[in-house]
């Protein structure tokens, strides 16, 4: 189903679906689906999700879940009122390395969490970046957090798995390092975001950058027992346990332990490839499977609906502060960033 | 006023340059809003000053802007299209954009709408070996089995001809493989680079090349030729070379290349294994070649430009020999 007939038809033909629709209500009435996947821009998630729920469907909503927390709460309340389930598309939290990280955390292998680093890079010249940077009317420009809002839910949803707080404290700054040349909304797009989340027992940093290379997405979790580095691009999970040998041998042992971890992950990846398990959207498939199990009453929801609201609320706070801390010029930007994160050189 | 879309692209630049050589109406280039002014300035820097040239920033998603862009326009050369991306991306960037432009043109007083299509839309997989491909060749019945580009270009051509039936004076020019200086000449019809090797696949298959300036001549001619409205015209050069001839010339002129020739039966076997494994593993490896795609690309077909030469009074000015020499001279030496 797509409002544009060409887009609806290409999806139907490409995926071997017999019927394409340009009217959601007509589709809901005719097909009576058990589950509706909403993959439209976020401004339509509340209205489309509500319509689907009112027609008896459970709903899978692509990230970002909603434009803001108010809409997220409203969608959740509608779902609860109708006894339907809503699942947010935080699919990367179901990629294999993150599943392993989650298991290790729950088994207590990391100890208590002290700090989490979440890093996401983005290429503005990439396939999707070129689309919205080439079009000032693109929907991403109408989001409160711009294109960053369409992306940071990935690292944020991972970070928040390790922070218990319902609403951690947030200190955030947004910056723009690109040359101003469009004369329209695209000149306002923030291409760098730094946020610190302060919880009762742990803290986290979020780095979103479109300048740094290589583009990558990872989380580093620092526990009282060991550190884990979960890399979503290389699909690896490595632990840092340090070294116990004395003096210079400690450094050699440390590097050797790193080498062993890398070698183990390399072998694991080769095995996954050869056994046909290395899929681009493996996390999404796993999330769908678990969500459908929940819909069928066979399992708990893979992501509680309240988690979608919590992530959205933290994003709201980040973008609110980015707007408030928007620097007037580059020098000012650097100063603000330094003071906001408590000193140090910004760039 | 003449409107050109895709003027910053490979073919579009050549169309713009050749139109600028002739005195006449102002040339209006539709460009993305926010296009780099330095790049646009470089585009027209060395052009002959036969005509005034203006840039009109407009998104293909903005119908009002497109309507303003076609005001006072007599001929539209619609060259812009997406060459890469998913089915959804290419449908959005090629099909939806073309429909918006055609909608804008519907009420405009156009003398001609020239759509640059593609050879890809023809369904050659079912043709017998050695058949002649021309405008009577049936359209591809299963573009979704080929690739997103074929799907989008086929939908685009059908859409344009629908609008012709609704009164827009459409001509479709379908170029073969456009080549020229600065572009790689070893296209997928010759072979593919993989893991540092060049897999030579084309063998004795003819490659329907058209030198970029020859193709630009045909596109321009389609905007003014009489009795071509509603027609589809295949454009390729004369005396087409085989993939083997191109590859040999490449190695002689450009330098040594590590290659591995793959015979057609072996390629078909690889394609079958590729599809089997991709489906069995749920997409662990993408489908690089399917047997259907192999049948489409390498079937010892011959290609005719007879209709284009007759209807447009067009002849390639640059011969294949001259064109290949120019292109190979521009390739970085290995």
């Amino acid at each position: 189903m797509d409002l544009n007939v060409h887009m609806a038809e290409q999806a139907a033909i490409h995926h071997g679906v017999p019927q394409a629709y340009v009217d959601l209500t007509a589709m809901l009435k005719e097909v009576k689906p058990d589950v509706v996947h909403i993959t439209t821009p976020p401004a339509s998630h509340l209205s489309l999700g509500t319509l689907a729920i009112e027609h008896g469907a459970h709903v899978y909503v692509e990230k970002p879940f909603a434009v803001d927390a108010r809409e997220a709460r409203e969608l959740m309340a509608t779902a609860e009122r109708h006894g339907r389930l809503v699942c947010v598309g935080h699919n990367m939290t179901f990629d294999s390395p993150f599943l392993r990280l989650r298991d290790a955390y729950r088994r207590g292998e990391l100890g208590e969490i002290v700090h989490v680093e979440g890093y996401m890079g983005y290429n503005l010249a990439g396939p999707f970046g070129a689309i919205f940077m080439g079009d000032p009317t693109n929907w991403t420009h109408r989001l409160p957090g711009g294109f960053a809002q369409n992306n940071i839910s990935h690292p944020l949803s991972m970070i928040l798995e390790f922070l218990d707080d319902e609403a951690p404290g947030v200190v955030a700054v947004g910056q723009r390092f690109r040359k101003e040349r469009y004369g329209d909304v695209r000149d306002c797009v923030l291409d760098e975001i730094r946020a610190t989340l302060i919880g009762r027992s742990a803290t986290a940093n979020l780095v979103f950058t479109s300048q740094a290379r290589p583009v990558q997405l990872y989380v580093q979790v620092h526990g009282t027992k060991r550190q884990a580095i979960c890399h979503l691009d290389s699909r690896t999970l490595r632990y840092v346990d340090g070294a116990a040998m004395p003096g210079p041998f400690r450094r050699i042992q440390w590097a050797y332990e790193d080498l062993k971890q890398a070698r183990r992950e390399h072998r694991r990846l080769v095995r996954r490839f050869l056994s046909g398990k290395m899929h681009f959207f493996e996390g999404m498939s796993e999330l769908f499977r678990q969500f459908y199990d929940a819909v069928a009453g066979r399992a708990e929801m893979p992501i509680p609906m309240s988690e979608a609201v919590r992530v959205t609320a933290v994003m709201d706070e980040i973008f609110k502060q980015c707007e408030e801390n928007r620097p007037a010029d580059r020098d000012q930007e650097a100063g603000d960033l330094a003071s906001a994160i408590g000193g140090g050189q910004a760039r | 006023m003449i409107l050109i879309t895709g003027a910053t692209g490979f073919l579009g630049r050549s169309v713009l340059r050749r139109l600028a050589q002739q005195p006449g109406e102002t040339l209006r280039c539709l460009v993305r809003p926010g296009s780099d002014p330095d790049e646009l300035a470089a585009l027209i820097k060395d052009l002959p000053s036969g005509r005034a040239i203006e840039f009109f920033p407009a998104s293909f998603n903005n119908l009002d802007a497109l309507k303003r862009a076609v005001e006072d326009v007599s001929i539209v050369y619609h060259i812009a299209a997406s060459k890469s991306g998913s089915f959804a991306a290419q449908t959005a960037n090629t099909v939806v954009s073309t429909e918006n432009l055609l909608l804008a043109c519907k009420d405009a007083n156009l003398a001609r709408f020239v759509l640059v299509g593609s050879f890809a839309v023809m369904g050659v997989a079912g043709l017998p070996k050695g058949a002649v491909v021309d405008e009577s060749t049936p359209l591809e019945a299963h573009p979704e089995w080929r690739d997103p580009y074929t799907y989008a270009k086929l939908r685009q051509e059908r859409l344009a001809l629908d609008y012709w039936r609704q009164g827009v004076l459409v001509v479709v020019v379908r170029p073969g493989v456009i080549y020229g200086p600065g572009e790689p000449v070893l296209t997928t019809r010759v072979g593919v680079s993989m893991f540092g090797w060049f897999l030579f696949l084309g063998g004795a298959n003819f490659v329907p090349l058209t030198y970029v300036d020859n193709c630009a001549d045909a596109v321009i001619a389609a905007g003014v030729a009489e009795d071509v409205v509603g027609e589809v015209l295949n454009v390729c050069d004369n005396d087409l070379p085989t993939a083997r001839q191109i590859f040999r010339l490449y190695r002689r002129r450009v330098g040594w290349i590590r290659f591995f020739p793959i015979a057609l039966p072996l390629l078909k076997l690889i394609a079958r294994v590729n599809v089997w494994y991709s489906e069995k593993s749920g997409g662990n490896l993408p489908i690089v070649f399917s047997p259907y795609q192999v049948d489409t690309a390498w079937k010892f077909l011959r290609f005719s430009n007879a209709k284009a030469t007759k209807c447009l009074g067009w002849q390639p000015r640059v011969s294949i020999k001259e064109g290949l020499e120019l292109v190979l001279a521009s390739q970085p030496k290995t």
Side-chain angles (χ1 to χ4, degrees):
Chain A
M1 187 338 262
D2 194 294
L3 288 177
N4 185 284
V5 66
H6 303 298
M7 298 305 290
E9 285 178 5
Q10 66 80 24
I13 291 170
H14 184 49
H15 297 290
V17 178
Q19 182 77 33
Y21 291 86
V22 290
D23 182 324
L24 179 61
T25 307
M27 188 274 280
L28 291 169
K29 282 182 176 164
E30 281 179 38
V31 179
K32 296 184 175 53
D34 295 314
V35 177
V36 172
H37 287 246
I38 297 176
T39 60
T40 54
S44 59
H45 287 180
L46 175 60
S47 58
L48 299 181
T50 302
L51 195 60
I53 290 166
E54 286 172 351
H55 281 79
H58 301 279
V59 177
Y60 178 94
V61 183
E62 252 307 336
K63 57 81 197 168
F65 186 63
V67 170
D68 55 31
R70 185 192 61 77
E71 290 196 357
R73 286 190 194 100
E74 201 176 324
L75 187 56
M76 187 174 80
T78 305
E80 284 172 347
R81 217 167 37 246
H82 287 80
R84 301 288 95 179
L85 298 175
V86 177
C87 182
V88 61
H90 293 159
N91 55 293
M92 290 191 177
T93 60
F94 288 81
D95 275 353
S96 54
F98 198 83
L99 289 176
R100 290 164 57 208
L101 174 63
R102 183 185 286 139
D103 284 347
Y105 169 53
R106 287 178 181 172
R107 285 196 303 267
E109 290 177 17
L110 306 179
E112 298 298 318
I113 303 303
V114 177
H115 181 73
V116 186
E117 292 280 329
Y119 177 100
M120 183 180 198
Y122 195 86
N123 181 7
L124 284 172
F128 190 63
I131 290 173
F132 65 77
M133 290 310 289
D135 182 4
T137 65
N138 186 274
W139 57 268
T140 56
H141 302 307
R142 292 193 292 276
L143 292 172
F147 85 102
Q149 190 169 348
N150 193 37
N151 292 285
I152 67 163
S153 58
H154 280 311
L156 203 54
S157 59
M158 294 183 211
I159 287 173
L160 287 174
E161 287 238 356
F162 304 99
L163 265 62
D164 295 333
D165 312 72
E166 176 59 32
V170 174
V171 180
V173 173
Q175 295 178 285
R176 179 183 48 73
F177 288 154
R178 298 181 326 283
K179 195 174 70 173
E180 226 173 77
R181 67 178 173 91
Y182 295 104
D184 58 39
V185 66
R186 288 169 293 177
D187 285 336
C188 305
V189 170
L190 298 174
D191 49 30
E192 301 284 326
I193 287 175
R194 308 287 182 267
T196 296
L197 311 186
I198 303 147
R200 278 187 304 273
S201 56
T203 55
N205 282 336
L206 168 71
V207 173
F208 178 75
T209 173
S210 62
Q211 314 287 315
R213 294 293 181 271
V215 169
Q216 52 183 326
L217 173 62
Y218 63 80
V219 284
Q220 290 184 23
V221 184
H222 300 261
T224 50
K225 291 184 182 170
R226 68 198 314 205
Q227 181 197 348
I229 305 167
C230 176
H231 203 289
L232 279 298
D233 288 285
S234 65
R235 297 257 170 93
T236 55
L237 176 66
R238 288 177 291 132
Y239 294 104
V240 181
D241 292 306
M245 294 178 94
F249 300 110
R250 182 168 181 265
R251 290 165 182 79
I252 293 167
Q253 185 197 3
W254 197 305
Y256 178 66
E257 293 298 329
D258 285 349
L259 176 68
K260 278 202 311 192
Q261 293 275 334
R263 201 161 48 202
R264 190 198 63 198
E265 288 302 294
H266 180 256
R267 280 199 298 263
R268 181 188 295 272
L269 285 172
V270 171
R271 276 199 306 273
R272 284 181 70 79
F273 174 73
L274 293 178
S275 59
K277 289 180 182 163
M278 200 190 287
H279 300 149
F280 190 79
F281 284 118
E282 63 172 23
M284 191 178 284
S285 303
E286 178 61 21
L287 179 55
F288 286 177
R289 191 187 65 73
Q290 293 195 23
F291 176 48
Y292 287 6
D293 279 349
V295 165
R298 293 190 293 265
E300 292 292 309
M301 276 287 281
I303 303 173
M305 290 194 275
S306 57
E307 187 63 11
V309 176
R310 187 168 78 118
V311 172
T312 310
V314 172
M315 282 168 63
D316 280 0
E317 185 58 29
I318 289 173
F319 296 125
K320 182 171 152 254
Q321 292 200 22
C322 285
E323 188 57 37
E324 287 169 0
N325 297 334
R326 186 174 283 245
D329 55 43
R330 291 281 294 275
D331 292 340
Q332 184 66 30
E333 282 175 16
D336 280 2
L337 177 62
S339 58
I341 61 175
Q345 196 66 36
R347 207 182 178 202
Chain B
M1 181 93 72
I2 292 173
L3 181 75
I4 306 169
T5 73
T8 57
F10 185 49
L11 176 62
R13 284 199 305 270
S14 180
V15 168
L16 179 65
R17 190 170 60 246
R18 290 178 106 67
L19 281 170
Q21 285 167 352
Q22 313 153 6
E25 296 171 274
T26 298
L27 303 176
R28 174 180 283 175
C29 303
L30 193 78
V31 295
R32 285 194 184 94
S35 294
D36 190 334
D38 295 340
E39 285 177 19
L40 296 181
L43 181 70
I44 57 171
K45 186 168 165 257
D46 298 321
L47 287 185
S49 53
R51 306 181 193 229
I53 298 173
E54 66 176 44
F55 293 108
F56 193 101
S59 163
F60 279 115
N61 296 325
N62 187 339
L63 189 57
D64 290 334
L66 292 176
K67 283 181 176 170
R68 288 195 298 277
V70 299
E71 276 173 15
D72 306 320
V73 165
S74 58
I75 306 172
V76 172
Y77 291 106
H78 182 36
I79 304 169
S82 176
K83 282 184 171 174
S84 61
S86 63
F87 276 82
Q90 295 207 41
T91 302
N93 296 330
T94 297
V95 186
V96 178
S97 60
T98 298
E99 173 140 57
N100 287 342
L101 184 60
L102 285 162
L103 270 171
C105 291
K106 208 172 163 188
D107 299 324
N109 196 24
L110 284 188
R112 197 65 56 87
F113 184 103
V114 180
L115 171 72
V116 174
S118 170
F119 264 32
V121 304
M122 290 181 284
V124 298
L127 295 182
K129 221 183 238 185
V132 175
V133 175
D134 61 15
E135 293 79 355
S136 66
T137 301
L139 291 175
E140 175 60 67
H142 296 290
E144 72 280 9
W145 292 357
R146 296 262 299 269
D147 51 68
Y149 179 76
T150 300
Y151 176 84
K153 292 302 281 184
L154 180 60
R155 293 295 296 250
Q156 183 196 40
E157 182 177 309
R158 284 193 166 139
L159 193 63
L161 292 173
D162 282 348
Y163 274 80
W164 164 62
R165 290 176 201 104
Q166 295 171 43
V168 181
L169 303 176
V170 171
V171 185
V172 179
V173 175
R174 287 184 195 148
V177 179
I178 304 172
Y179 77 112
E183 287 288 300
V185 72
L186 296 183
T187 65
T188 49
R189 285 185 185 260
V190 181
V192 291
S193 292
M194 208 173 268
F195 307 121
W197 284 79
F198 184 76
L199 306 183
F200 175 55
L201 310 171
N205 282 273
F206 289 109
V207 181
L209 294 179
T210 175
Y211 190 72
V212 62
D213 290 343
N214 295 339
C215 186
D217 285 343
V219 170
I220 292 166
V224 293
E226 291 178 5
D227 302 326
V228 292
V229 170
E231 297 290 346
V232 174
L233 305 162
N234 286 359
V235 170
C236 60
D237 290 352
N238 299 324
D239 306 319
L240 295 174
T242 63
R244 182 168 291 124
Q245 288 168 330
I246 294 171
F247 190 51
R248 278 184 183 155
L249 200 59
Y250 182 91
R251 284 192 294 152
R252 245 195 331 264
R253 293 282 190 279
V254 180
W256 185 81
I257 180 170
R258 197 162 57 166
F259 76 100
F260 189 80
I262 297 186
L264 197 57
L266 178 59
L267 186 58
K268 283 186 177 176
L269 179 67
I270 292 170
R272 276 201 291 275
V273 171
N274 184 191
V275 170
W276 169 79
Y277 180 72
S278 185
E279 286 176 354
K280 184 175 178 291
S281 66
N284 195 43
L285 269 186
I287 296 176
V288 182
F289 295 116
S290 69
Y292 193 78
Q293 287 167 323
V294 171
D295 273 347
T296 299
W298 299 287
K299 211 158 192 190
F300 304 102
L301 301 169
R302 289 171 295 149
F303 301 91
S304 166
N305 61 11
K307 185 175 175 186
T309 54
K310 181 168 172 264
C311 294
L312 300 177
W314 164 82
Q315 276 296 330
R317 280 198 262 181
V318 180
S319 71
I320 283 288
K321 190 167 179 293
E322 292 166 334
L324 284 174
E325 291 292 349
L326 284 168
V327 174
L328 294 174
S330 76
Q331 304 281 317
K333 297 281 183 282
T334 63

